Amino acid sequence: MKQIGHFIDGEKVVGSSGRTADIFNPNTGAVQAQVALASASEMDVAVASAVKAQAKWAQVNPQRRSRVLFAFKELVEKHMDELAALLSLEHGKIHADSRGDVIRGLDVIEFACGVPQNQKGDYTMGAGPGIDVYSIRKPLGVVAAITPFNFPAMIPMWMFGMAISTGNAVILKPSEKDPSVPMRLAELFVEAGGPVGLLNVVNGDKEAVDAILQHDDIKAVSFVGSSDIAHYVYTEAAKNGKRAQCMGGAKNHGIILPDANMDQAVKDILGAAFGSAGERCMALPVVVPVGEGTAERFLSKMLPAIEGLRIGISSDPDADYGPVVTAAHKAKVTSMINLAIKEGAELLVDGRGFELQGYEGGYFLGPTLLDNVTTNMTTYQDEIFGPVLQIVRADTFEEALALPSEHQYGNGVAIYTTNGRAAREFADRVEVGMVGINVPIPVPVSYHSFGGWKRSAFGDINQYGMEGLRFYTKTKTVTQRWLESDELSEDSAFVIPTF
Ligand code: NAD
């Protein structure tokens, strides 16, 4: 059985806690590897290595830091298919989607390569008589990245790309469900010339996360995962004096106005609801057609589109989506569908009980479509995170606008319309962090930033872009005056300096 340990100080090391977790092949249900679950003392070793590496890295000039990341980017590109195959085998998403996972992470590495420009600081000459002021952004030291199972390449790169470029060292604690890609990325980072100890991967579960939260040498925590755990990590990190940005769950709505290009809306929502088996925090699991006619037109096109979906193993090039990540997750999604029916939703397409011939042990779910979902249903309020699309019918623009605005989550939303004025008003008023206008999965490009509102994010600084740079650095402002050795300034020493 393949054993996955940790990556510390430039080397793969075996775990010593005696605790492990099984990693499944979601296509077959077979256990394919075991991953070590770190104890607090293993975390100590990794952090000590990171502290040492960071002290040297902080002295490296920004263009040299950028060059290492550039070499890393080229190496990852060279290993793209290998990484995507490894990712698909543990996660279950199809190969093309796994490549997308890697590519969206590399976008942030590219942005991070611009650190010489972005971390330059500000200078004011003559802020007072003979006085200049400059502000610089210093790294925090060692920071931690705690990541979810659903983007095992992109989300680690969001975090370590920005953190390392700005002079920090990183402890990466990936999801215990699919740790192989994060481990391989750390290996490639060293192969690209990254100093050993600067990116350590410590595998584990709550015990490893708690060790991070309690470690005095870890100065900041970036987290992405479900909301209850995001909230726990945020409050514990803050209690221990750490900076924290903790992204949580989501329930993103796709609004369709009567004047929308319906063929495009259906094409987009089909992919955004069922792609990656619905396991994306920017998926569109709720569709809101505005008006009866819109709902009927939507259904007349969506029902045959769903019928045409092809579910297959993650290496099947013709599959639209693959299995969900674990048997436990499949059971959770199934029980949410059962509950939705009990709550009164109308089951139009039933994905429960789907079996892929030859892969009966795999965690496959067919697409499910539920109509007449209402806001009082638990299955509307909670995240399902599976290939399930819920229809909530609205009569007016205002009703549709209120749905995502009043929902506990506020990650992403999309509106489909040909009316620019309506789209503009929607984008302005909706209480959600990321908005798509005729765009289904509005994950912002790397030079903007990523972050939801309400229970989709705790903390006030977004991931990547200039927000990411600010998160991983602290400002130092220097006010300086150069007098001759025998010169005395005219101001009083007893009054606060005013210029
Ligand atoms: P998860 O919350 O189960 O796990 C996330 C991380 O927390 C993992 O590293 C895990 O090991 C750790 N963890 C698990 N239980 C813990 C505990 N009790 N205490 C401390 N740490 C713990 O999330 P997941 O199932 O891996 O990922 C799916 C979730 O992530 C969904 O809710 C999805 O919406 C969310 N997500 C959000 C975003 C975003 O940017 N908002 C992006 C991707 C995924």
Side-chain angles (χ1 to χ4, degrees):
M1 178 75 62
K2 182 177 159 193
Q3 297 293 327
I4 301 169
H6 313 294
F7 188 84
I8 299 174
D9 228 20
E11 281 178 8
K12 282 184 180 166
V13 296
V14 294
S16 60
S17 70
R19 292 195 313 125
T20 57
D22 289 337
I23 296 177
F24 300 92
N25 177 342
N27 296 304
T28 62
V31 176
Q32 57 173 329
Q34 283 177 326
V35 62
L37 301 175
S39 62
S41 59
E42 288 171 290
M43 187 62 73
D44 286 343
V45 174
V47 176
S49 140
V51 167
K52 216 166 109 198
Q54 196 271 334
K56 283 198 196 139
W57 185 242
Q59 304 305 318
V60 175
N61 70 35
Q63 61 272 32
R64 283 179 190 266
R65 282 188 252 135
S66 171
R67 274 175 217 146
V68 170
L69 285 169
F70 202 88
F72 170 71
K73 173 186 132 63
E74 288 190 323
L75 205 53
V76 172
E77 275 165 353
K78 216 168 104 192
H79 289 269
M80 180 71 74
D81 279 320
E82 171 212 326
L83 285 161
L86 196 58
L87 199 161
S88 288
L89 202 58
E90 288 183 354
H91 178 285
K93 65 175 80 170
I94 56 171
H95 189 79
D97 204 27
S98 291
R99 283 177 62 95
D101 193 329
V102 179
I103 291 167
R104 287 305 298 256
L106 281 182
D107 285 354
V108 174
I109 301 294
E110 265 169 23
F111 177 79
C113 286
V115 69
Q117 164 68 16
N118 294 334
Q119 205 179 354
K120 263 194 339 222
D122 299 316
Y123 195 100
T124 304
M125 190 145 181
I131 289 177
D132 302 337
V133 178
Y134 63 90
S135 297
I136 50 176
R137 301 205 71 99
K138 304 283 277 183
L140 303 179
V142 178
V143 301
I146 303 168
T147 55
F149 81 84
N150 69 327
F151 280 100
M154 177 181 83
I155 294 178
M157 283 194 267
W158 283 1
M159 297 173 180
F160 75 70
M162 294 307 302
I164 286 176
S165 71
T166 46
N168 300 281
V170 176
I171 302 293
L172 171 60
K173 206 303 284 169
S175 167
E176 60 275 46
K177 296 186 183 113
D178 48 9
S180 289
V181 166
M183 289 285 283
R184 188 76 184 109
L185 290 173
E187 222 171 29
L188 291 174
F189 178 71
V190 171
E191 206 179 312
V196 301
L198 207 62
L199 176 57
N200 290 332
V201 182
V202 181
N203 284 306
D205 55 4
K206 177 170 167 41
E207 197 172 322
V209 171
D210 285 339
I212 286 171
L213 295 171
Q214 281 149 24
H215 206 297
D216 285 343
D217 286 334
I218 294 180
K219 304 301 178 194
V221 180
S222 295
F223 174 95
V224 175
S226 50
S227 287
D228 287 347
I229 298 171
H231 186 252
Y232 167 75
V233 170
Y234 177 71
T235 50
E236 289 301 306
K239 214 191 286 176
N240 294 329
K242 300 180 199 310
R243 199 175 275 195
Q245 50 172 191
C246 301
M247 278 52 194
K251 191 88 177 185
N252 309 316
H253 296 58
I255 315 290
I256 307 181
L257 297 190
D259 60 9
N261 171 342
M262 189 59 83
D263 287 324
Q264 187 64 42
V266 168
K267 176 174 181 262
D268 284 357
I269 291 169
L270 185 75
F274 301 111
S276 197
E279 294 170 321
R280 291 186 186 128
C281 67
M282 289 294 274
L284 287 179
V286 178
V287 62
V288 184
V290 178
E292 270 310 300
T294 311
E296 294 322 314
R297 278 193 301 128
F298 172 75
L299 277 176
S300 71
K301 289 175 191 280
M302 184 51 98
L303 283 166
I306 289 178
E307 218 160 280
L309 279 175
R310 188 186 155 120
I311 299 125
I313 57 168
S314 55
S315 57
D316 177 351
D318 297 323
D320 294 311
Y321 73 86
V324 298
V325 69
T326 57
H329 192 58
K330 179 178 169 177
K332 184 202 144 184
V333 175
T334 306
S335 75
M336 291 290 272
I337 299 169
N338 295 341
L339 179 61
I341 298 163
K342 213 166 126 198
E343 286 181 316
E346 190 185 339
L347 183 67
L348 297 185
V349 182
D350 187 357
R352 297 168 300 172
F354 173 90
E355 276 191 357
L356 188 67
Q357 218 186 345
Y359 294 89
E360 287 76 9
Y363 312 137
F364 296 95
L365 277 164
T368 292
L369 183 63
L370 295 161
D371 198 359
N372 293 310
V373 170
T374 51
T375 54
N376 58 335
M377 294 179 184
T378 321
T379 48
Y380 169 74
Q381 289 300 335
D382 291 348
E383 186 178 37
I384 299 178
F385 221 55
V388 181
L389 179 60
Q390 295 172 295
I391 303 173
V392 181
R393 293 168 179 242
D395 289 330
T396 63
F397 173 86
E398 288 299 327
E399 247 181 76
L401 173 69
L403 285 164
S405 297
E406 288 168 10
H407 201 279
Q408 62 164 332
Y409 295 118
N411 215 38
V413 69
I415 185 165
Y416 284 86
T417 177
T418 49
N419 181 336
R421 192 166 162 226
R424 183 177 182 274
E425 184 172 347
F426 181 85
D428 183 38
R429 289 174 58 200
V430 71
E431 291 288 316
V432 169
M434 292 173 281
V435 182
I437 298 176
N438 300 312
V439 170
I441 304 175
V443 176
V445 289
S446 62
Y447 39 98
H448 286 259
S449 72
F450 184 103
W453 288 5
K454 298 178 280 183
R455 276 182 60 75
S456 292
F458 304 95
D460 44 17
I461 305 188
N462 277 358
Q463 302 276 346
Y464 65 77
M466 289 307 284
E467 294 253 318
L469 186 132
R470 274 190 282 279
F471 181 77
Y472 292 117
T473 54
K474 52 190 176 191
T475 306
K476 180 177 279 184
T477 307
V478 179
T479 302
Q480 63 178 358
R481 173 170 67 184
W482 300 98
L483 298 173
E484 293 295 342
S485 56
D486 57 353
E487 189 183 350
L488 260 187
S489 68
E490 285 176 7
D491 47 299
S492 159
F494 298 98
V495 177
I496 185 162
T498 54
F499 307 125

